[in-house]
Amino acid sequence: DAGVIQSPRHEVTEMGQEVTLRCKPISGHDYLFWYRQTMMRGLELLIYFNNNVPIDDSGMPEDRFSAKMPNASFSTLKIQPSEPRDSAVYFCASSYNLNRNQPQHFGDGTRLSIL
Amino acid sequence: GQQLNQSPQSMFIQEGEDVSMNCTSSSIFNTWLWYKQDPGEGPVLLIALYKAGELTSNGRLTAQFGITRKDSFLNISASIPSDVGIYFCAGQTPYNFNKFYFGSGTKLNVKP
């Protein structure tokens, strides 16, 4: 079975540029999560969707961050304009149904470096 | 916000030794999960626990959901070099089952 697929795996760009990270969840999973991982703060939940609808975006750090899920098989996380402090590994995860205690499955992440 | 304290932060052990790490929370959880993250990859689920007192094994790994519902531990027996990685606990509270909270990780180093 295909797992959660993220692209790109690595992104290096200059500050001020727009960055778009992509995620394809596991087919049939109703929930999609975006996390950010840094040495200082560990894994932080940014936003999650249920059936393509954003449910909780309280973890999104600033208005420069936005996320969309136009359909059940695709989501994007956008940073515009990017800043060096946005450098981190961004993970996408999906799960079948939180109410049934279904754990999250993670993609391999996008390592983002803002110069 | 919710605090998950994971310890130890890092461990250096000899191949063949047993390993134990744990997580504690400031409030009760109704789910505990243990993940392993290899360098350059995402966390991979090892064990999921859904009931207080539950003891679950996955090969050489054993995890328990604490009776108080505020802690969990993970044991690895007879460690091998491929056990190297970062182990994360994660939990879900009954107050907000839409969120999982993650510990800061235990970095395991195994010397052959």
Side-chain angles (χ1 to χ4, degrees), chain B residues 1-80:
Chain B
Q2 182 56 245
Q3 293 276 337
L4 268 189
N5 296 309
Q6 188 171 348
S7 65
Q9 280 191 321
S10 63
M11 304 180 75
F12 292 82
I13 63 169
Q14 201 74 32
E15 182 178 0
E17 289 183 357
D18 295 344
V19 172
S20 185
M21 59 191 79
N22 67 79
C23 253
T24 59
S25 66
S26 54
S27 56
I28 61 171
F29 277 12
N30 58 3
T31 301
W32 282 99
L33 307 173
W34 285 93
Y35 286 87
K36 182 191 177 202
Q37 185 176 19
D38 291 326
E41 297 183 14
V44 174
L45 182 69
L46 299 173
I47 293 179
L49 302 161
Y50 300 116
K51 202 163 60 172
E54 183 180 352
L55 185 72
T56 297
S57 292
N58 177 6
R60 292 177 297 104
L61 278 61
T62 302
Q64 184 158 31
F65 193 139
I67 291 292
T68 65
R69 298 174 65 188
K70 291 187 178 183
D71 63 340
S72 176
F73 72 75
L74 174 71
N75 284 348
I76 305 173
S77 62
S79 58
I80 59 178

Side-chain angles (χ1 to χ4, degrees), chain A residues 9 37 48 56 99 101 104, chain B residues 35 37 40 50 97-98 100:
Chain A
R9 288 299 310 274
Q37 186 179 42
Y48 77 92
D56 185 346
N99 289 341
N101 292 330
Q104 297 169 27
Chain B
Y35 286 87
Q37 185 176 19
Y50 300 116
F97 57 81
N98 293 325
F100 281 90

